[in-house]
Protein backbone atom coordinates (compact mmCIF):
# COMPACT_ATOMS: atom_id res chain seq x y z
CA UNK A 1 0.00 0.00 0.00
CA UNK A 2 1.32 3.43 -0.94
CA UNK A 3 1.68 6.31 1.48
CA UNK A 4 -1.20 8.01 -0.31
CA UNK A 5 -3.39 4.92 0.22
CA UNK A 6 -2.38 4.77 3.89
CA UNK A 7 -3.31 8.43 4.38
CA UNK A 8 -6.63 7.98 2.60
CA UNK A 9 -7.45 4.91 4.70
CA UNK A 10 -6.59 6.75 7.93
CA UNK A 11 -8.84 9.61 6.84
CA UNK A 12 -11.65 7.15 6.07
CA UNK A 13 -11.34 5.50 9.50
CA UNK A 14 -11.35 8.87 11.27
CA UNK A 15 -14.41 10.04 9.34
CA UNK A 16 -16.59 6.92 9.26
CA UNK A 17 -15.70 4.59 12.15
CA UNK A 18 -18.29 6.12 14.51
CA UNK A 19 -21.07 5.68 11.94
CA UNK A 20 -19.97 2.09 11.35
CA UNK A 21 -19.99 1.44 15.10
CA UNK A 22 -23.52 2.84 15.42
CA UNK A 23 -24.67 0.59 12.58
CA UNK A 24 -22.97 -2.41 14.18
CA UNK A 25 -24.61 -1.79 17.56
CA UNK A 26 -28.05 -1.45 16.02
CA UNK A 27 -27.77 -4.33 13.58
CA UNK A 28 -26.20 -6.93 15.82
CA UNK A 29 -28.24 -6.08 18.90
CA UNK A 30 -25.22 -6.81 21.04
CA UNK A 31 -22.96 -5.04 23.46
CA UNK A 32 -20.76 -2.17 22.38
CA UNK A 33 -17.80 -4.51 22.79
CA UNK A 34 -19.19 -7.01 20.25
CA UNK A 35 -20.06 -4.19 17.89
CA UNK A 36 -16.52 -2.84 18.17
CA UNK A 37 -15.23 -6.30 17.21
CA UNK A 38 -17.45 -6.30 14.13
CA UNK A 39 -16.23 -2.85 13.10
CA UNK A 40 -12.62 -3.82 13.71
CA UNK A 41 -13.04 -6.89 11.50
CA UNK A 42 -14.74 -4.80 8.81
CA UNK A 43 -11.96 -2.20 8.87
CA UNK A 44 -9.40 -4.98 8.58
CA UNK A 45 -11.10 -6.24 5.42
CA UNK A 46 -11.39 -2.72 4.05
CA UNK A 47 -7.68 -2.17 4.69
CA UNK A 48 -6.73 -5.40 2.90
CA UNK A 49 -8.77 -4.40 -0.16
CA UNK A 50 -8.28 -0.63 0.07
CA UNK A 51 -6.46 -0.18 -3.24
CA UNK A 52 -9.34 -1.94 -5.03
CA UNK A 53 -12.30 -0.34 -3.23
CA UNK A 54 -10.90 3.12 -2.53
CA UNK A 55 -12.21 4.57 -5.80
CA UNK A 56 -15.63 2.98 -5.37
CA UNK A 57 -17.51 3.32 -2.10
CA UNK A 58 -15.44 2.04 0.83
CA UNK A 59 -18.14 2.97 3.36
CA UNK A 60 -20.72 0.81 1.60
CA UNK A 61 -18.22 -2.05 1.49
CA UNK A 62 -17.46 -1.67 5.21
CA UNK A 63 -21.16 -1.41 6.11
CA UNK A 64 -21.89 -4.55 4.10
CA UNK A 65 -19.12 -6.42 5.93
CA UNK A 66 -20.51 -5.26 9.30
CA UNK A 67 -24.08 -6.26 8.45
CA UNK A 68 -23.13 -9.64 7.00
CA UNK A 69 -20.88 -10.39 9.96
CA UNK A 70 -23.67 -9.50 12.39
CA UNK A 71 -26.14 -11.75 10.57
CA UNK A 72 -23.63 -14.60 10.49
CA UNK A 73 -22.88 -14.15 14.20
CA UNK A 74 -26.59 -14.14 15.00
CA UNK A 75 -27.18 -17.31 13.03
CA UNK A 76 -24.33 -19.05 14.79
CA UNK A 77 -25.30 -18.08 18.29
CA UNK A 78 -29.08 -18.02 17.91
CA UNK A 79 -28.95 -15.89 21.02
CA UNK A 80 -29.24 -12.16 20.62
CA UNK A 81 -27.69 -10.25 23.46
CA UNK A 82 -29.35 -7.19 24.85
CA UNK A 83 -28.07 -3.71 24.11
CA UNK A 84 -27.46 -1.88 27.35
CA UNK A 85 -28.13 1.83 27.68
CA UNK A 86 -27.65 4.24 30.52
CA UNK A 87 -30.83 4.97 32.44
CA UNK A 88 -32.51 8.22 31.40
CA UNK A 89 -32.21 11.13 33.82
CA UNK A 90 -34.73 11.47 36.64
CA UNK A 91 -35.66 15.00 35.62
CA UNK A 92 -37.56 15.52 32.38
CA UNK A 93 -35.74 17.32 29.61
CA UNK A 94 -36.95 18.76 26.38
CA UNK A 95 -35.99 16.37 23.63
CA UNK A 96 -36.64 12.91 22.34
CA UNK A 97 -38.75 10.43 24.29
CA UNK A 98 -36.06 8.11 25.63
CA UNK A 99 -38.58 5.62 26.97
CA UNK A 100 -40.15 5.28 23.54
CA UNK A 101 -36.70 4.96 21.98
CA UNK A 102 -35.74 2.18 24.36
CA UNK A 103 -39.05 0.41 23.77
CA UNK A 104 -38.51 0.64 20.01
CA UNK A 105 -34.96 -0.70 20.34
CA UNK A 106 -36.19 -3.54 22.55
CA UNK A 107 -38.74 -4.52 19.90
CA UNK A 108 -36.10 -4.17 17.19
CA UNK A 109 -33.83 -6.59 19.07
CA UNK A 110 -36.62 -9.20 19.10
CA UNK A 111 -36.72 -9.37 15.29
CA UNK A 112 -34.73 -11.93 13.28
CA UNK A 113 -31.27 -10.72 12.26
CA UNK A 114 -32.01 -10.12 8.58
CA UNK A 115 -35.28 -8.30 9.28
CA UNK A 116 -33.52 -6.16 11.87
CA UNK A 117 -30.73 -5.41 9.37
CA UNK A 118 -33.29 -4.30 6.78
CA UNK A 119 -35.00 -1.93 9.22
CA UNK A 120 -31.74 -0.47 10.50
CA UNK A 121 -30.34 0.11 7.03
CA UNK A 122 -33.59 1.49 5.59
CA UNK A 123 -34.78 3.70 8.43
CA UNK A 124 -31.84 4.35 10.74
CA UNK A 125 -29.14 4.60 8.09
CA UNK A 126 -31.59 6.11 5.55
CA UNK A 127 -30.52 3.76 2.75
CA UNK A 128 -32.77 3.30 -0.27
CA UNK A 129 -34.43 -0.04 -0.94
CA UNK A 130 -31.95 -0.69 -3.76
CA UNK A 131 -28.95 0.19 -1.57
CA UNK A 132 -30.24 -2.00 1.24
CA UNK A 133 -30.84 -4.89 -1.18
CA UNK A 134 -27.32 -4.48 -2.56
CA UNK A 135 -25.76 -4.42 0.91
CA UNK A 136 -27.66 -7.52 2.01
CA UNK A 137 -27.30 -9.37 -1.28
CA UNK A 138 -31.02 -9.82 -1.80
CA UNK A 139 -33.77 -8.48 -4.04
CA UNK A 140 -35.56 -5.15 -3.59
CA UNK A 141 -38.76 -7.15 -3.11
CA UNK A 142 -37.21 -8.99 -0.18
CA UNK A 143 -36.21 -5.66 1.38
CA UNK A 144 -39.76 -4.34 0.94
CA UNK A 145 -41.40 -7.43 2.43
CA UNK A 146 -38.94 -7.69 5.33
CA UNK A 147 -39.38 -3.99 6.11
CA UNK A 148 -43.17 -4.25 6.00
CA UNK A 149 -43.25 -7.34 8.20
CA UNK A 150 -40.73 -5.92 10.65
CA UNK A 151 -42.60 -2.63 11.00
CA UNK A 152 -45.88 -4.50 11.42
CA UNK A 153 -44.40 -6.63 14.22
CA UNK A 154 -43.03 -3.58 16.00
CA UNK A 155 -46.32 -1.68 15.63
CA UNK A 156 -48.29 -4.66 16.96
CA UNK A 157 -45.99 -5.07 19.95
CA UNK A 158 -46.03 -1.35 20.69
CA UNK A 159 -49.85 -1.22 20.57
CA UNK A 160 -50.10 -4.30 22.83
CA UNK A 161 -47.74 -2.67 25.32
CA UNK A 162 -49.83 0.50 25.66
CA UNK A 163 -52.25 0.34 28.61
CA UNK A 164 -55.92 0.88 27.66
Amino acid sequence: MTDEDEAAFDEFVAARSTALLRTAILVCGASAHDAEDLVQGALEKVYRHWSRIRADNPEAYARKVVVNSAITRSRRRRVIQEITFAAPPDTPVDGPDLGLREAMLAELRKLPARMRAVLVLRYWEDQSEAETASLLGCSVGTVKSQAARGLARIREAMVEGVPA
Side-chain angles (χ1 to χ4, degrees), residues 29-62:
S31 70
H33 178 73
D34 290 339
E36 288 170 356
D37 288 346
L38 287 175
V39 171
Q40 185 67 31
L43 290 175
E44 178 186 344
K45 288 181 181 180
V46 168
Y47 181 81
R48 282 190 275 148
H49 301 287
W50 184 254
S51 59
R52 179 175 49 88
I53 65 169
R54 177 182 177 193
D56 293 331
N57 189 349
E59 183 177 2
Y61 181 87

Side-chain angles (χ1 to χ4, degrees), residues 1 4 14 52 86 138 159:
M1 192 181 287
E4 183 181 325
R52 179 175 49 88
C138 63
V159 168

Side-chain angles (χ1 to χ4, degrees), residues 56-77:
D56 293 331
N57 189 349
E59 183 177 2
Y61 181 87
R63 189 179 294 123
K64 184 173 185 173
V65 171
V66 167
V67 169
N68 288 341
S69 296
I71 290 170
T72 299
R73 177 180 281 186
S74 170
R75 285 181 181 155
R76 282 189 192 136
R77 289 185 180 176

